[in-house]
Amino acid sequence: MSIEAIIFDLDNTLIHRKQAFAAYAERFVERFIAAEAPEKREAIIERMRLADQDGYRDKRELYRELHAEFELKNPDTTVQEMLGFWYGEFHKFTVLIDGSKEVLSELRSRGLKLGIITNGSLRMQRAKIDRVLLRDDVDSIIISDGVHTKKPHPRIFELALKELEIADPGHAWYVGDHPTNDIRGAQSAGLHTIWLEGFMPWEETGVLPDYRIESLREIISCLDRFSSSTNTEEGAYECAVDYDKVEARDD
């Protein structure tokens, strides 16, 4: 089966959100929180990381909690000011995952169509994409708030396939870090899946990725093996997921 398109998640797949949040949290503490001792600052930053839930926490709820919990430099600081700081500053800390640009360039040189599907707000996700100049590297960008559906619903993957003019979802691969939103979601829409491990623990039940990689650069070798073997059992085995490391849970 031929490969016509490869579609990527954004956060912790093409860009390193965890690294960006750590740098942002330091700036946030410096701006708003009374914490002079280094160990106290480190504890607050770690508390922020956990409360953020890797970006899946409602932002207004998050900043209400932080506002109530921490000692503020200025007691008159409002939750709205903190939210404004988030929307105005976080995207400035966006950094690419190692190898992102090189992999996208190589895939495009091979004639593959490329896309991004990401959950999140139009404003923030567009700002992050533009900060690291990804827009011209792909043919389609689907942001959940712009299409009123989000991963893992299969509809958002179907919209991307339509934009890329891919009639058969089996001719597309989806790359992401989230076992549910990315792997289960893409498989429910009929795409092949590649799990970028190292960011999210595997806690999905009844679903496994087609391929597992530890770095984006491994996509190229998987693609080469897949193409040269024309999807024979031997070729698929070399790139296949290591089932000893990623287990489906039975609970």
Side-chain angles (χ1 to χ4, degrees):
M1 180 179 290
S2 64
I3 303 166
E4 299 177 22
I6 299 183
I7 309 171
F8 294 83
D9 172 43
L10 181 64
D11 292 294
N12 290 332
T13 300
L14 289 176
I15 62 174
H16 204 309
R17 188 191 185 278
K18 286 191 175 183
Q19 185 175 323
F21 189 82
Y24 161 80
E26 288 194 22
R27 186 68 58 83
F28 177 87
V29 172
E30 180 182 304
R31 170 70 174 79
F32 292 110
I33 309 303
E36 298 301 327
E39 60 273 16
K40 184 175 182 180
R41 291 171 64 91
E42 291 175 8
I44 290 172
I45 289 169
E46 176 62 10
R47 174 71 183 97
M48 287 181 63
R49 184 189 71 80
L50 294 173
D52 176 64
Q53 297 176 8
D54 208 27
Y56 291 97
R57 184 80 178 276
D58 176 81
K59 294 300 177 291
R60 184 166 291 278
E61 178 184 277
L62 171 63
Y63 284 97
R64 281 175 179 162
E65 182 177 300
L66 299 181
H67 185 271
E69 181 174 339
F70 296 145
E71 180 185 356
L72 305 178
K73 285 184 174 180
N74 179 359
D76 295 327
T77 296
T78 65
V79 173
Q80 194 59 41
E81 284 180 81
M82 289 182 168
L83 273 172
F85 188 80
W86 163 263
Y87 285 112
E89 297 296 319
F90 179 61
H91 71 277
K92 297 177 183 178
F93 297 91
T94 304
V95 291
L96 290 165
I97 289 279
D98 186 44
S100 295
K101 285 280 189 174
E102 297 92 328
V103 168
L104 291 173
S105 178
E106 175 63 22
L107 295 176
R108 173 160 278 180
S109 75
R110 298 181 181 212
L112 293 169
K113 296 178 179 179
L114 304 175
I116 292 172
I117 301 174
T118 177
N119 286 350
S121 72
L122 283 170
R123 175 183 174 183
M124 182 61 76
Q125 299 306 80
R126 284 173 174 170
K128 289 189 285 188
I129 288 167
D130 290 336
R131 182 74 179 182
V132 290
L133 305 176
L134 280 174
R135 189 173 298 276
D136 292 337
D137 294 317
V138 296
D139 305 295
S140 169
I141 297 173
I142 301 289
I143 300 172
S144 62
D145 275 8
V147 295
H148 309 295
T149 186
K150 62 182 181 179
K151 298 180 293 182
H153 197 286
R155 176 61 178 156
I156 197 167
F157 298 94
E158 293 163 0
L159 290 171
L161 293 173
K162 184 176 180 181
E163 275 202 3
L164 292 169
E165 299 181 337
I166 304 299
D168 184 345
H171 289 187
W173 289 3
Y174 188 79
V175 185
D177 71 295
H178 198 290
T180 301
N181 291 347
D182 296 326
I183 304 307
R184 181 179 287 278
Q187 287 186 358
S188 72
L191 288 78
H192 295 287
T193 56
I194 302 174
W195 179 47
L196 178 60
E197 64 176 347
F199 291 99
M200 299 287 291
W202 190 270
E203 297 180 343
E204 261 297 325
T205 302
V207 62
L208 288 168
D210 296 297
Y211 306 102
R212 171 185 56 81
I213 57 175
E214 296 179 353
S215 74
L216 286 181
R217 290 189 174 92
E218 292 178 53
I219 294 173
I220 303 303
S221 60
C222 281
L223 186 65
D224 288 340
R225 292 168 183 157
F226 184 93
S227 300
S228 63
S229 68
T230 61
N231 205 24
T232 64
E233 182 178 349
E234 180 181 358
Y237 177 80
E238 291 186 27
C239 291
V241 63
D242 181 347
Y243 290 104
D244 291 330
K245 293 186 67 176
V246 184
E247 299 179 352
R249 295 173 57 191
D250 294 324
D251 55 3

